[in-house]
Amino acid sequence: MNSIEQLREALQAADAVVIGAGAGLSVSAGYTYSGERFNRHFADFIVKYGFGDEYSASFYNFPTQEEFWAFWSRIIYYERYAPIPKPQVFKDLLRIVADKDYFVITTNADHLFQRTGFDKQRLFYTQGDYGLWQCRKPCHQQTYDNESQVMQMFHEQSDMRIPSELIPRCPVCGGEMYPNLRGGSWFVQDEGWYAAADRYQAFMDSHTKGKVVYLDLGTGGNTPAIIKYPFMQRTFANSDATYVSINFGEAYAPLVIRRRSICINNDIATVLSDI
C-alpha cells in the first residue's frame, strides 16, 4: 500500500481530523513570496530598494507612512483580497474533510480557508489576519476590518506613495495603525482571537482518544511549537492517532511515532488532488 492509499484509509476511518496549515499550503495555492509573482507586483519597490522577497521586505523601515502603506496595501490586497491563484487546493481539502468532525489551526494570515468555504467556527488563525489592523502601540485590544481602506490605498497610490489623507489612524489615541500580524509584544489578540482559541482547545480536549488524524500541511521550522510539536505529542499520547506530514522536501516524523505516521514529500496540491 502506498502513502496516498494509507492516507486515504486513515482519513476515511477517522473520528476527527485536525488540520494544521503552514506557509507551504498557501504556496501550493499560488501564494509565492519571491520570484515572478513578487517581481510583477512590486517591481518599483524592487528597483528602488533591491528587495529580494516579500517576507524580508515587509520588515523594511520605510521613511514615510505614505510609502509604508503603499507597500503594505499591496501586500494586503494580493494576500487577502485579490482572486486566489489556485483555489482548487482548498476546495479539494474541504471535500476531503467536509463530512468529518474537523478543526483548522493555521499560522497563515491570508484567510484562504474562510474564503474557500470552510466553517468559520472551525478555524483558528493564531498569527493574525491581513484583513485586520490595530493600534501600533497598542493603546487598546481591538482590531478593525480594513478592506475598504486597503482598496482605496491600493487604487489611489502613485509613485510608491498613498495620499496622506488615507494614512490610517487609531480611533482611540490617534497614533499609527499596523497590520494585525504577530511580530512582537504589540500584537493584539482581540475577543475574536480568544473565542477561536477556546473553540480549538475545546475541540482538542474532546478528542484525546479515538482515531484522530493530525494533518500537518506545509508547516516548517519557523514556529513548530504552534502546530508541528503539539500534533506529534498528541499522536504519541493516543495510540489510535495518526500523524500526517505533507511537505515538499520537509516531511518527517520522529522515531517514537513513525509507525503511526504518514510522511509525503510532495506538493500539497498534488497530494490532495490524488486523494
Side-chain angles (χ1 to χ4, degrees):
M1 184 184 300
N2 64 36
S3 55
I4 296 294
E5 292 171 343
Q6 284 183 295
L7 177 53
R8 187 182 293 117
E9 287 194 3
L11 289 167
Q12 288 173 346
D15 301 316
V17 179
V18 189
I19 299 169
L25 179 60
S26 291
V27 169
S28 73
Y31 285 80
T32 52
Y33 308 111
S34 61
E36 190 276 333
R37 181 173 180 263
F38 177 66
N39 295 341
R40 174 161 37 95
H41 296 319
F42 296 92
D44 47 358
F45 282 96
I46 293 170
V47 169
K48 183 175 181 179
Y49 293 109
F51 294 149
D53 64 89
E54 183 179 305
Y55 180 74
S56 59
S58 69
F59 294 98
Y60 187 77
N61 185 22
F62 289 99
T64 67
Q65 283 283 290
E66 286 85 355
E67 199 168 354
F68 173 88
W69 284 111
F71 181 80
W72 268 97
S73 63
R74 282 194 221 176
I75 287 184
I76 295 170
Y77 173 77
Y78 288 115
E79 306 304 334
R80 182 67 170 81
Y81 298 119
I84 301 169
K86 299 177 183 178
Q88 193 60 43
V89 178
F90 284 81
K91 291 180 180 179
D92 287 344
L93 180 57
L94 180 57
R95 189 177 296 115
I96 290 167
V97 301
D99 62 347
K100 295 292 181 180
D101 192 9
Y102 76 86
F103 209 101
V104 176
I105 178 172
T106 179
T107 52
N108 302 331
D110 45 36
H111 262 234
L112 292 178
F113 285 98
Q114 195 167 325
R115 294 179 65 193
T116 51
F118 282 77
D119 183 354
K120 182 180 179 180
Q121 298 302 307
R122 294 175 178 268
L123 305 175
F124 178 29
Y125 291 85
T126 64
Q127 305 296 74
D129 177 3
Y130 282 115
L132 301 173
W133 53 39
Q134 60 166 83
C135 177
R136 179 67 174 86
K137 290 181 180 178
C139 71
H140 63 301
Q141 296 294 307
Q142 186 174 340
T143 59
Y144 300 87
D145 291 334
N146 63 25
E147 182 173 7
S148 62
Q149 291 166 288
V150 165
M151 290 299 188
Q152 194 173 3
M153 290 178 185
F154 178 80
H155 290 294
E156 295 186 21
Q157 63 181 259
S158 177
D159 297 325
M160 296 182 290
R161 297 170 64 87
I162 65 165
S164 298
E165 62 269 20
L166 296 184
I167 296 173
R169 298 292 180 186
C170 174
V172 176
C173 72
E176 295 179 10
M177 295 291 271
Y178 201 77
N180 180 233
L181 303 171
R182 190 183 300 279
S185 59
W186 42 262
F187 176 68
V188 167
Q189 297 176 174
D190 62 7
E191 290 182 3
W193 190 96
Y194 283 107
D198 289 344
R199 289 193 296 269
Y200 173 67
Q201 189 61 54
F203 184 90
M204 298 296 269
D205 290 345
S206 68
H207 293 292
T208 57
K209 298 179 180 179
K211 295 180 179 179
V212 182
V213 172
Y214 294 97
L215 190 55
D216 181 348
L217 301 176
T219 70
N222 226 9
T223 52
I226 296 176
I227 295 173
K228 188 175 293 291
Y229 292 168
F231 277 20
M232 291 175 175
Q233 290 164 350
R234 285 179 176 271
T235 301
F236 177 74
N238 176 6
S239 60
D240 291 322
T242 301
Y243 172 72
V244 180
S245 174
I246 307 174
N247 201 340
F248 194 42
E250 295 186 45
Y252 72 94
L255 184 61
V256 290
I257 61 168
R258 195 159 296 171
R259 290 184 179 179
R260 291 186 284 112
S261 299
I262 302 170
C263 299
I264 304 176
N265 282 292
N266 203 347
D267 175 60
I268 297 170
T270 301
V271 175
L272 296 179
S273 177
D274 288 346
I275 295 172

